[in-house]
Structure formats: structure tokens, C-alpha cells
Amino acid sequence: MTDATTAGADVGPVTTLATPISLDFDFTPGVAQSRFLKALATGTFVGQRCPVCTKVYVPSRGTCPTDGVATTEEVVLSNSGTVTTFCVVNVPFAGQSIEIPYICAQILLDGANVSFMGLIQEIPTDQIRMGLRVEAVWVDDADLTPSLASIKYFRPNGETDAPYESYEEYL
Amino acid sequence: MAERCAVIGVGQTHHKAKRDDVSIAGMVREAAKMALADADLTWSDIDAVVIGKAPDMFEGNMMPELYLAPALGAVGKPMIRVHTAGSVGGSTALVAAHLVKSGRHKRVLTVAYEKQSDSDAMWALSVPQPFAAPLLAGAGGYFAPVIRAYMRRAGAPDHIGRMVAVKDRLNALRNPYAHLHLPDIDMAMVEESIMLWEPLRYLESCPSSDGAAAMVLAAEDAISGSNPPAWIHGTAMRSEPTIFAGRDQVNPRAGRECAADVYAQAGITNPREQFDCAEVYVPFSWYEPMWLENLGFCEQGDGWKLTESGATAFDGDIPWNCSGGVLSSNPIGASGMLRFLEVAMQVRGQAGEHQVDGAKLALGQAYGGGAQFFSMWVVGSEKP
Amino acid sequence: MSAPSGTVRPVSVASFAQSPNIRRDDQRNEVEGLLPVIAEVFGNIGITKDDVDFICSGSTDYLIGGPFSFVMALDAVGVWPPRAESHVEMDGAFALYEAWTLLQEGEIDAALVYSFGRSSLGDLNEILTLQLDPYYMAPLWPDIVSLSALQARALIDAGKATEADFAEVASRSRRDALANPKAQVAKDVAVDVLLQDPYVVEPLRRHALPPITDGAAAIVLAAGDKATAWSERPVWISGIDHRIETHALGARDLTSSPSTALAAQHAGVADGKVDIAEIHAPFAHQEIILRQAMGLDASVTINPSGGALAANPMMSAGLIRIGEAASRIAAGQADRAVAHATSGPCLQQNLVCVLEGA
Ligand SMILES: [Zn+2]
């Protein structure tokens, strides 16, 4: 049926070889994201407010995605937030650095209007739930860098769960 | 004034985990030659070629349309390469349709493919960026939290996802081109499969496939071939931002508005009654009930009830994914085009074992990214 | 074959904007670089994103080294409520073609087209190698400058041009770029001085190569009432077409460009006098090939902007040619212009667009 199989009788089976490709790139996080990253190096979350819709983005990539304008006003955010939704990762894959199973959650920081994905620890996987209140646990001060690696993980902060209505629109 | 446009030829490969017997060019030619034969045409009858695929990094080949031009008979012709994330197979067909509808060309060949086994697609999807957190969740980890949000919102019971997983794999047994053929599939088998991203189990997720799809689209005065044409009654694309405050990922507005647009063109007011079947991009089982609601086949919160009632099964009143869908074959770039192609096959009466009796009007849908890109078309056996 | 029917709907290039073209923008990410360009292309004619019915962009992932680079770029527009939107993994000129096609159907009246590309992030010469046949060519890593040098050598050996001709093109382009505030390389250097340049890959000397450029561009297309409302002197697209050639360099006559000639014929280049041409010729010798393919004689002003030798932002350089040509007609400096875009090694794929003032 294929060109390959009609020719195949003479040439034998197709063999393959891997030809690895390696390219180096200089990464530019951009103006807004650089501010976010530099704040991480001080153990702080910094978001940016849209001048049109007033929503607070964290991390901001420099624009409000719905209004298409630059976000300029910086907003220091809380260290605590709410788990809006989550999944328990049971699958091993390349590049993974944590022992499975573990919890990945969408976390809505207090004062922010978008959630971002974070690792949840210090709670059994069968007790994770939507609405759980969590706080960021940072690496030791000496190890803080302008990178998301500065956040070790999030853990329950002991507060009562947030009501569904309070984060419903962020699902 | 837009010209009428119809599908007059379809072709696809047997989708497999690894097509190591052919090159990328050999694979796309296989689908394209089948579509040309179906339309009773040869390469020289084609005016333009529109090709689509997901990220170039999946195969390590930048702008591969350049390399594929001679293999697809495009030399001396216009050739366009589309990339709109997972919806790309659908949007590629739509760009081809516009080339005909605009009066620009009479016959356009459109092709979509992925040859994931040529490189490492999982790696390509998650190229580590500096300053970012260590890799957290993997591909399904993006969608599993959305599924949990749907379950909570709709009050859906756990077994719905497993029902979809079984239904689509049973359908795949009727489709010789499907990648997964699991004759023993049942609820217990899905439940026993390993939990990947809770609540998603292995058998509730799509496979990774090599494969290609192709169609020939023609203007009304250029119809050919012995199979009847599938007339295009409506086409629509919609996009919304990937991340924004208050974004509804369970029931994205872009999907609802894309459906409203394509329904208005095709005169659809009650999709469940008016369509004979639908092919909808369901890479994870739970996306069937979610898209049933998003596409207006039922009221909000009732999608899972429709699935549970058997309405979307092969013998139901509105069968979804009779081909086995993305859950049974997932050559990523081609997956969207396969949805569009399968509904064309249905209204042309050429779907063989998975043919819905007397299908006259059908919806094809594809989505991509984090469900922020949508493309849809409605095809029918009657001229619009 | 596919002759455009006689009923082409008039579509105008209503607005054009481009970022400054620079060697490396190490402050801003793609979205931040695109944002002011989108604001300007709307601001030029006093409209907003709500006034366009369709959006189409052109870019490629490999420049950035990550998949889905077009996805986040869309945040520079703000597609909310949701919009009809599409993307080609091609130069923005081809995105413009897709948008123009939709406008032909008569159901929408305006479209935003944009493109972006940061060539500075990786080794561009290496990255472009990945455009080659992945089985027979790419594993050998021939770089794009060397392939272009093969083409230049063929041109010289065929007696169609000399190294001095290449230098002539480079000298003129960069001199003209002195009048282009967005240009990256602008200087007045005489041909005999340029011919002292060392070879990068013989017969290409340094001046015959394009700069490496970060940049972005955008165009608003309009039809119907919007076209006349948004421009005092609308610039109409009277013809547009594009064609591709085989990928196998050994199967092509590299000294000619039959795909350009065919596209020019279908776009109607020869149907009237051409005042200026903006040609997307990244390497100096390619201008000579393209000019001949489009039948542009000595009376035509070539690349008054400086062309791709003055600034070559990947994925935007073609779209910018259309914008530059349209701007000159809008300003009354020309009545009829040709714009050209290319893609692939040694001019494999080419688009030709003919623009006319009212
Ligand atoms: Zn805003």
C-alpha cells in the first residue's frame, strides 16, 4: 500500500538512527516577569494590576490578557492562598523531581485574580480538597534566587476552608 | 459573496504508536493519495495545499511544509502552513475551505499530521524554561484539575469518565484506522488501569499516535469522484486568552461562541435533534460531558446525564465519536482534522462499520491549548 | 490552473506599524515587544481591537526555543470577548494572505495581521538548518549562510552577476536605510570599500549578509466602508499570490526564481507601471534574482526602506515589505508598488503583492 512497502522487497526493512539536536537559547523573561522573579528572591509575591479592569495578575507577563494593555502598578501579595482545584500526580515522566504520588494544585493567592500551579506538601494525598487554605514555604534565605525554585512548596496554613463561592469564578 | 464548498475526497493512515516504516513525507502522502483517489483526481488537479501540524519541536523539523512541498505535489502552487495548537487539524481544514469559499481556488488539498515517534513530544511540550518551577504535572496534569472542577460544578458521579472511555473504545473496534483496538474493554478494565493524574486513569486518556489525515475540498463547479460530496454548511474559529482572571476553563466562552456562530450559519437551533452525529475533540474522557454542555447539546450541568443515558453511544440518539475519537487515535496535529474528516465521511455514507444510518448533518469540533482555541464545521449531505 | 477570478474584492492596507529593529531586545519578552506595535497600528487610524473582525499572526517556535510561542503573544491584543483568530507558522505576509482570503468572502470588513520574531535568542544560522529535509540534509548541518553562498556562487558562475553587483545592492540598501528610523544597519559605504570586506562564506562578504534582528510588525486590512473611512488615500491590494518550489536544492536552478515569477504573474505585476518595489532579499545576491523574476526594470526604485539588508526580523521582514510599500503610496511618493516576501532556504517560497493608490 505504501511506497515504502512496495519497494521493501528489494531493500529490506527500514532502519532508524537517532540524530540528537542541541540548541542553546538566551532566555528573556521580560520587564514584568523580571520584577516578579526579583521579588521571589526576597521571599515575596509581587503581582501587577491592570489599569483597565483592575484585576491583579501574578505572575504578570507584562500585559492584561483580556484588555491588551501594559500592567504597570505593582501589588505585593499575601503569602497565603486558596486551593481552587487540584490533581494527584501518579505518573512518572521525564524531568520529574518529586516522588509520586504528589499533589499539584491551582492556588489563588489572597489579593490576586489568577491562580497558578503549585506543589502541595505536608498533607496526605487523600486529604487534599478544593478550598483548602495554604501558605508558601520558602527555601532558606541563603538559597533564595530570582526563580520559582525559591518556593519549596505550599502547605496547609491551619485556617478553615474557604467557601466554594469565594473561589468559584476562578475555576 | 462566498462560494459553496464541499469535501470530495478523504484519506487517512492507519494510526499507530510508531510508523517507522515510512518517513514523514511517506506518511502524509499515504493520506493525501487516498484523498485524491477518493475524489478521482491526480496531483495536477490540485490548485493549492494547506498543511497543519502541532509544534515543530514534536519532530525537530522547523517549518516542515518546506521539506514536504514536493511530496504533496505543491511545487508551483500556493502552500500554507497553519499552527493553532491542538485545534490545528480543524483550523487547517477551515483555511482550506476559505481558499475555496473566497473563489480563490477550485480544488484545495489539505493535510494534517503528527509523527510523534520521530522525536519526543512529551519533552517538546515541556521544554524547561529558566526561572520556572521544576516540572510539576505533565500534560494531563493541566486538564485533571479542570475535570475536577467540572465534577464539582455539575455534581457528576465518578463513573461517567469511565463510561466515555469504554464507549469510544468500543466505537474504535468498528474503525480499521483507529490506533487502539481493545476488544475486551469494559468499565472494570478502565477502573483497573493505573491512575495517572487523579481523577484521570490511563484508559481515560488519549494515546500518542503517528498518523496523517487529508481531504480534498472543492467548489461547486469542480465536484468530482464517485462518492457524494459533503457540503460545508458553516465554519467558525474562536480564541480567548490562555490565562485571565475569571476564566471559565470548564465551559469556555470561546467554545460557546464558536458553536453559536457555526450553528447560525447552518441553521441549527437544536443541535441534539438536528445533528445525526458529532465528532468532538475528547482527549480525556471527561471532556465529552463538558463539551456536550459547551456545545449546547443539553442544559448546563446535564452533560454527564446525557452520557450516562447512552444518548451519545453508537446506538444512541446523538452518537458522539463513532470513529473512536481522540481517545482511540491521537496523531496530535491530525486529530482535529480527523474530527472534521469523520463527519464528512458520515454524511457521505462512507463510514463503513461505524456509519450512522442515514446521517445527513453532522458537527466536527476541535480545540487546542488549554481549551482556548476552537474550530468547528458543520457538514451535510444536502447543498446549503 | 488557479487564476484568481475577475471579482477580487478591494482590500486596503489601512495601517502599518513596526517596532524599532534592533540586534537584541534583552529587556522585553515577545508580548511586551508586540504590545506597542499593536497599539500603534490601531492608534494610527483611531480604531480599537473591537473594530476588527479577524486576527491572523505569523511566527515560529524555533526562534524562541519553546513550543506555542504564538499563544502568549495573543495577550498583546487582548482577545476578550473571544475573537475569530488564526496563526500560520510562516512570515506575517502569509498571515496577511490568509486574512485577505477571508475578506474576499465579503462577510467581514477588517482584519488585524501581526508577526514577531526574535532572532537573537539562539544561533539563527544553526536554527535555520532545521528547516531542511530532516532525513537527508539537516543531519549534515549545512548552515543557511553556506547554502546562500552556493546560490551566490551559481549566480556568478552563470555570468548573471558579480561580487561587485552584490556590494552595489548592499551599499544602496544601507544608504537608503539612513532615511528609515526603524532600520538597524544604516550607513553610507562605497562599493569599493565594501569589496575590501572579508568573506564570511565565499563568495559572500560580510556586507552581503542580513543583520540578525529582533522585531515585530502589524497591519490592519480593511474592505468596504471601513477602507474608505480609515484612509484618506486608501492603498488597495490589486493582486496577491504566492508559490513554492521543490525543497531539493539540487533539483532547482538557484540562479532564477520561478515561484516568484509565477506569483508575480498571478498578482498582475506587469499590468501597470511599477514605481517602487520592496523586496524581501535577506542576502544581497537574492535581490538580483528576485528583481529579474518579477521583471522589474531599472526605472523601479528598489527597497527605499533599505530592505532586509537593513533589518531582517525573522517572520516579520516579509510583512514589513508590504507595510513599507503601502506607506509610500499612502504618502503620495508612489502610485503603484510591488511587495515581496520569501521563506525557506535559497528563496524556496515567495509571495508577491501588488499595491495601488486610489
Ligand atoms: Zn485588564
Side-chain angles (χ1 to χ4, degrees), chain C residues 173-196:
Chain C
S173 297
R174 276 133 189 180
R175 187 167 55 246
D176 288 346
L178 288 166
N180 176 2
K182 306 282 186 174
Q184 177 188 356
V185 185
K187 53 190 171 190
D188 189 353
V189 183
V191 169
D192 55 346
V193 177
L194 288 180
L195 286 171
Q196 309 298 314

Side-chain angles (χ1 to χ4, degrees), chain A residues 49-57 63-71:
Chain A
R49 192 187 306 278
C50 169
V52 178
C53 66
T54 73
K55 301 287 187 191
V56 174
Y57 282 85
T63 75
C64 172
T66 55
D67 293 305
V69 297
T71 53

Side-chain angles (χ1 to χ4, degrees), chain B residues 261-286:
Chain B
D261 185 357
V262 81
Y263 293 170
Q265 294 170 45
I268 303 292
T269 50
N270 185 335
R272 183 174 173 185
E273 272 186 18
Q274 287 173 273
F275 288 128
D276 297 298
C277 60
E279 284 279 342
V280 177
Y281 206 102
V282 177
F284 302 105
S285 60
W286 279 96

Side-chain angles (χ1 to χ4, degrees), chain B residues 14 38-39 71 87 89 110 123 152 172 202 238 252 257 261-262 270 272 285 291 327 337 370 376 383:
Chain B
H14 289 271
D38 185 16
S87 65
T110 183
W123 168 82
R152 164 78 204 244
Y202 177 73
R238 283 295 183 283
E257 294 187 1
D261 185 357
V262 81
N270 185 335
R272 183 174 173 185
S285 60
W291 292 151
L327 280 171
M337 185 171 286
M376 302 179 192
K383 208 180 280 185

Side-chain angles (χ1 to χ4, degrees), chain C residues 172-173 176-177 179-180 276-278 301-307 324 328:
Chain C
R172 189 207 68 232
S173 297
D176 288 346
N180 176 2
I276 64 160
E278 281 284 341
T301 304
I302 306 290
N303 287 347
S305 70
E324 288 283 1
R328 279 175 171 75

Side-chain angles (χ1 to χ4, degrees), chain B residues 1-2 23-24 47 55-57 60-63 65-67 69-70 74-85 95 98-99 101-105 118 124-125 127 237-244 253-254 257 372-373, chain C residues 1-2 4 60-62 65-68 70-71 74-75 79-90 97-98 100-102 104-105 107 127-128 130-135 240-244 246-247 262 343-344 348-349:
Chain B
M1 180 60 196
S23 62
I24 295 170
D47 298 327
D56 292 358
M57 299 176 114
N61 188 197
M62 180 183 187
M63 298 161 78
E65 65 278 8
L66 296 166
Y67 140 70
V75 172
K77 297 171 188 173
M79 187 172 195
I80 297 177
R81 156 71 192 293
V82 182
H83 176 18
T84 62
V95 173
H98 285 302
L99 290 181
K101 287 167 72 180
S102 65
R104 189 71 178 159
H105 298 299
D118 263 24
L125 274 176
V127 180
M237 297 187 214
R238 283 295 183 283
S239 306
E240 67 182 43
T242 309
I243 299 167
F244 64 91
R253 181 169 165 185
E257 294 187 1
Q372 74 273 38
F373 303 121
Chain C
M1 216 153 92
S2 56
T60 183
D61 285 342
Y62 262 109
F68 306 116
F70 66 93
V71 173
L74 202 49
D75 287 355
V79 284
W80 190 255
R83 304 301 162 109
E85 185 266 341
S86 188
H87 171 261
V88 293
E89 196 86 354
M90 307 175 85
Y97 181 84
E98 181 182 334
W100 177 86
T101 307
L102 257 75
Q104 291 305 307
E105 289 172 42
E107 279 156 23
I127 291 170
L128 290 173
L130 295 181
Q131 284 186 338
L132 303 172
D133 180 318
Y135 303 98
I240 183 167
D241 194 58
H242 60 94
R243 304 282 157 158
I244 195 166
T246 188
H247 186 67
L262 198 55
S343 177
Q348 190 191 343
Q349 187 175 24

Side-chain angles (χ1 to χ4, degrees), chain A residues 108-155:
Chain A
L108 182 66
L109 287 178
D110 298 348
N113 295 104
V114 282
S115 61
F116 63 87
M117 189 166 271
L119 178 70
I120 310 279
Q121 303 262 279
E122 298 189 28
I123 183 171
T125 54
D126 61 356
Q127 286 176 34
I128 180 71
R129 55 199 181 268
M130 293 163 74
L132 181 73
R133 295 281 298 157
V134 293
E135 64 187 9
V137 179
W138 300 82
V139 297
D140 293 341
D141 283 0
D143 299 330
L144 284 168
T145 56
S147 155
L148 282 164
S150 289
I151 309 161
K152 270 166 98 173
Y153 51 79
F154 288 81
R155 69 177 172 208

